[in-house]
């Protein structure tokens, strides 16, 4: 039996990474209600914030199409059939999670919320703790040579 036939579950990611970002954004919003920490966001920053959010959506859409074309699962709890190393993956091993960062940062700058901006840090830590560690261990076990070479060439973030 080949390795792919045994691989039915993918990385053992228990918490969907988008949920981690959503929870951190919700927590920041809740904290902001009791302990407001704001700044005035000028018009140019609001425009740049909207652009950042749109870039995040655009990058995620492009990555979704890339995964579909390569016929491999974008969800980390499903089996990976192919390691993508082109496109955004030439610069970061986690461009999807970096694109997720566009939302709390863009929204935080748009409404002028320090808490929302800061929510990106626990979100990244949570994604590392609950997803990236499992994903990297899974990919290294499944594709030891290819993924090992990839992690030596490309940084985790940027």
């Amino acid at each position: 039996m080949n390795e792919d036939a045994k691989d039915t579950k993918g990385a053992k990611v228990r918490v969907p990474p988008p949920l981690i970002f959503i929870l951190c954004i919700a927590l920041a919003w809740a904290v902001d209600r009791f302990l407001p920490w704001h700044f005035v966001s000028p018009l140019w920053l609001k425009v740049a914030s909207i652009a950042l959010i749109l870039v995040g959506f655009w990058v995620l859409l492009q990555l979704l199409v890339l995964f579909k074309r390569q016929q491999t699962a974008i969800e980390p709890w499903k089996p990976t059939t192919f390691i993508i190393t082109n496109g955004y993956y030439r610069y970061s091993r986690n461009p999807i999670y970096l694109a997720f960062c566009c939302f709390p940062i863009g929204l935080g700058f748009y409404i002028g919320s320090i808490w929302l901006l800061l929510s990106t840090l626990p979100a990244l830590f949570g994604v590392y703790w609950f997803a990236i560690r499992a994903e990297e261990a899974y990919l290294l076990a499944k594709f030891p040579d290819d993924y090992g070479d990839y992690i030596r060439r490309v940084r985790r973030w940027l």
Side-chain angles (χ1 to χ4, degrees):
M1 184 185 302
N2 71 26
E3 190 65 32
D4 286 337
K6 291 188 271 182
D7 182 14
T8 60
K9 296 203 189 255
K12 297 191 181 345
V13 174
R14 304 280 186 244
V15 181
L19 182 60
I20 295 169
F21 277 88
I22 291 167
L23 290 173
C24 288
I25 289 169
L27 181 61
W29 179 82
V31 169
D32 192 63
R33 295 291 146 235
F34 295 103
L35 258 164
W37 192 12
H38 293 254
F39 59 93
V40 176
S41 188
L43 181 59
W44 69 267
L45 189 55
K46 288 182 184 276
V47 171
S49 301
I50 292 169
L52 181 62
I53 291 168
L54 292 174
V55 164
F57 276 118
W58 179 247
V59 169
L60 287 174
L61 182 61
Q62 288 178 315
L63 290 167
L64 181 63
V65 169
L66 178 63
F67 273 75
K68 291 290 182 198
R69 279 192 190 136
Q70 297 295 338
Q71 298 179 340
T72 192
I74 196 167
E75 304 90 347
W77 51 86
K78 292 184 177 177
T80 298
T81 57
F82 181 81
I83 298 174
I84 298 173
T85 60
N86 59 330
Y88 296 109
Y89 284 91
R90 287 179 297 173
Y91 309 105
S92 171
R93 296 195 315 255
N94 295 292
I96 293 172
Y97 303 144
L98 288 173
F100 287 161
C101 292
C102 294
F103 304 109
I105 293 171
L107 192 57
F109 278 126
Y110 185 81
I111 65 174
S113 171
I114 303 284
W115 292 118
L116 205 43
L117 291 169
L118 291 176
S119 76
T120 308
L121 298 174
L124 285 174
F125 178 78
V127 164
Y128 171 76
W129 189 259
F130 292 107
I132 293 172
R133 291 180 328 133
E135 291 171 359
E136 289 182 346
Y138 164 77
L139 292 172
L140 214 69
K142 185 165 182 177
F143 307 101
D145 295 332
D146 292 338
Y147 194 70
D149 179 54
Y150 179 63
I151 63 175
R152 283 187 287 281
R153 288 184 292 113
V154 178
R155 293 175 177 261
R156 181 175 286 134
W157 298 111
L158 288 173

